[in-house]
DNA sequence: TAGTGGTCTAGACCACCGG
DNA sequence: CGGTGGTCTAGACCACTAG
């Protein structure tokens, strides 16, 4: 192989582009109607890619020619492409046409927050058994997690989650009362709490997911049917509204072999962090 | 609490913006010099936020006024803000000023790919013991993973990784020969393979990380010093160059309690997928 | 050197939030 | 209703890739 000239030549790819609400483009429940131009465009191009309509050299047409074809400005094309890029569908590099990578698999924001949505997107039948749900004063830790003053009330929910008839995950969720009030109006084993919140006008805007491994405690073992001390995959979810106010904090423990998490990163934008485990 | 009017009012936040190479902004090794305008701007604004220079109402100035202050166009400001947004530093919502969320902690692309970089960014002393490294024909599976024809050669490396003196992770990496050739020129226990590739001009552009839980096999148990069958946190890393050509495929198994992974998502752009576990 | 994607500008209009 | 962020346009120049 030929010798490369120098190091430090990398990072020149310094991207940019725009983004976009994957909302209308991905497999979320929101439909394509109501989406703005670049979102429809992205959906369109995604289909075109999957149908192989861009020829078989594995390259996309230039932004200029796409703009012409679709009758929009280059900026709008770039917005759409940024969407596909973020999901790992296409590359981007200065100097050459974009390369088609394949079909992206990133899930929509709501599928990540809602076990029910997620299960359905997989073609599985989700269900839930509420172990308990109660209102009580927040501990100091909970107060901090939800940005409440300690002593404020929270709603605490413990639910066992199933795919088909098989228990898969144990969910320990804490809501600020404000949010929890909505939950309390629901039937005991109602499926999608997140969906209900959604429907009642609660707006989820950002979330953070931390993944690690934890030993099953006595409760986990009993409800999930595993040995005490066995390793479980833990996902801690935190969600906030558009103003940054916490809406929920949840610690979910999955049986091994039931889920995996995949993150896509590019040199230009990365949303993943690897840390030392807590404690 | 007042009743919210209607559902389906959510998703209006349909963001957009631009992105940017976190490269110059985050804690990557590339310096700020050489960065373009919006990158410097982002770095600047990050510092301003951390120093509390935007007042204590927790809000950012309007894009317009930021553009004026910094003497750039609104588009450039939006590019910079998109960067901060992607890292969870600020929110964005139509109609109101952006809200400051806090200090983001997302790691740079290279820290995710390189155990050595990662460890150092934590202030820990990384080391490595190479168990074996060899060149052999690719299996069918490997061929597919690296997009090679089966029978093509690959370089296979098995390394035990330490933080301080403590074994933390066992790394099974496969490179296409083209890439592996660089590795072979290195000293047996040289620290950063990724760094070496980097220095020799190999350009990493995209990566995908899949995280799940796996039972320790006999090799894992022996080298990591855990019980056979114990749960380990598995991270499968795949990296490609800007053209989409695979550069490496690695399966890393971490002892429990050593790492956690955090992903930030927003309703407008999400890079995380939750799946059923393989098999 | 020609073509392509990345950066930047200037201006426009709209949807939404809050008073 | 005014201010703000989201979308879109049109045009310019630059950095880079590949022939």
């Amino acid at each position: 192989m030929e010798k490369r000239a120098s190091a430090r030549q990398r990072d020149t790819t310094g991207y940019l582009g725009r983004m976009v609400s994957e909302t209308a483009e991905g497999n979320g429940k929101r439909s394509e109607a109501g989406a703005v131009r670049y979102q429809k465009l992205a959906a369109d191009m995604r289909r075109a890619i999957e149908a192989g309509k861009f020829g078989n050299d594995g390259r996309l047409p230039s932004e200029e020619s796409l703009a012409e074809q679709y009758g929009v400005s280059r900026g709008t094309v770039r917005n759409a492409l940024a969407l596909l890029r973020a999901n790992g569908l296409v590359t981007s590099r200065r100097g050459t046409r974009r390369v088609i990578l394949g079909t992206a698999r990133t899930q929509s924001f709501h599928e990540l927050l809602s076990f029910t949505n997620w299960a359905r997107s997989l073609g599985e039948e989700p269900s839930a058994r509420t172990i308990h749900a109660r209102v009580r004063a927040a501990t100091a830790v909970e107060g901090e997690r939800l940005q409440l003053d300690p002593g404020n009330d929270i709603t605490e929910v413990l639910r066992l989650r199933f795919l088909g008839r098989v228990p898969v995950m144990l969910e320990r969720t804490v809501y600020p009362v404000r949010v929890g009030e909505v939950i309390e109006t629901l039937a005991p084993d109602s499926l999608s709490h997140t969906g209900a919140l959604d429907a009642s006008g609660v707006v989820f805007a950002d979330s953070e997911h931390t993944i690690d491994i934890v030993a099953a405690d006595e409760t986990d073992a009993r409800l999930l049917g595993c040995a005490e001390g066995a390793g479980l995959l833990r996902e801690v979810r935190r969600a906030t509204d558009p103003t940054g106010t916490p809406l929920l904090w949840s610690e979910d423990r999955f049986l091994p072999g039931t889920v995996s998490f995949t993150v896509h990163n590019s040199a230009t934008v990365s949303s993943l962090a690897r840390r030392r485990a807590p404690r």
Side-chain angles (χ1 to χ4, degrees), chain A:
Chain A
M1 173 201 275
E2 81 290 349
K3 190 108 173 299
R4 242 67 152 273
S6 82
R8 273 314 72 78
Q9 64 175 86
R10 181 206 322 71
D11 209 280
T12 51
T13 311
Y15 171 57
L16 132 306
R18 281 79 169 173
M19 312 189 180
V20 69
S21 175
E22 170 67 19
T23 278
E25 205 268 311
N27 35 13
K29 59 185 159 190
R30 250 68 81 249
S31 88
E32 201 168 319
V36 290
R37 219 121 142 202
Y38 72 90
Q39 291 169 342
K40 291 181 188 163
L41 224 184
D44 224 73
M45 286 171 39
R46 172 178 229 131
R47 282 190 292 267
I49 288 171
E50 280 161 7
K53 293 206 173 129
F54 286 135
N56 41 14
D57 63 344
R59 305 243 154 183
L60 239 44
S62 73
E63 297 177 353
E64 192 96 46
S65 83
L66 284 168
E68 203 174 345
Q69 278 176 51
Y70 285 103
V72 299
S73 76
R74 193 179 154 215
T76 301
V77 168
R78 282 177 64 77
N79 268 345
L81 288 171
L83 226 188
L84 303 183
R85 172 102 171 82
N87 283 5
L89 254 162
V90 301
T91 63
S92 66
R93 189 170 52 137
R94 184 154 22 197
T96 67
R97 295 262 185 86
R98 289 168 189 267
V99 174
I100 297 173
L101 289 181
T103 311
R105 314 106 308 209
T106 299
Q107 271 159 7
S108 80
F109 186 69
H110 280 79
E111 276 168 3
L112 286 172
L113 244 40
S114 162
F115 182 89
T116 304
N117 274 348
W118 170 66
R120 290 198 174 128
S121 79
L122 288 151
E124 302 254 10
E125 193 53 43
S127 57
R129 191 168 93 225
T130 299
I131 310 298
H132 73 244
R134 54 183 165 229
V135 177
R136 56 169 176 76
T139 64
V141 172
E142 288 163 347
E144 196 184 343
R145 282 172 184 163
L146 295 178
Q147 290 176 27
L148 304 171
D149 299 320
N152 278 17
D153 278 354
I154 52 103
T155 304
E156 174 196 45
V157 179
L158 178 63
R159 293 209 294 170
L160 187 58
R161 304 299 229 127
F162 303 79
L163 290 181
R165 285 206 187 71
V166 187
V168 159
M169 185 261 275
L170 186 62
E171 174 184 294
R172 293 172 170 90
T173 311
V174 180
Y175 305 93
V177 261
R178 190 169 38 82
V179 176
E181 276 168 353
V182 177
I183 304 292
E184 286 154 49
T185 67
L186 302 177
D189 282 351
S190 94
L191 258 187
S192 179
H193 287 185
T194 325
L197 293 173
D198 213 43
S200 79
V202 173
V203 181
F204 294 91
D206 286 88
S207 68
E208 215 171 66
H209 305 253
T210 297
I211 300 150
D212 62 1
I213 193 171
V214 71
D217 64 20
E218 189 271 327
T219 307
D220 297 327
R222 179 166 40 86
L223 293 169
L224 289 169
C226 63
E228 204 175 325
L232 300 175
L233 193 58
R234 171 165 67 176
E235 175 192 15
V236 173
R237 295 177 289 140
R238 274 157 259 145
T240 59
D241 74 8
T243 71
T245 307
L247 294 175
L248 121 213
W249 191 98
S250 185
E251 176 173 337
D252 302 342
R253 301 183 176 198
F254 291 88
L255 281 172
T258 57
V259 280
S260 71
F261 295 87
T262 300
V263 191
H264 180 89
N265 272 288
S266 64
T268 51
V269 61
S270 120
S271 60
L272 178 63
R274 183 164 52 181
R275 300 218 178 68
R276 286 234 64 166
R279 229 139 323 228

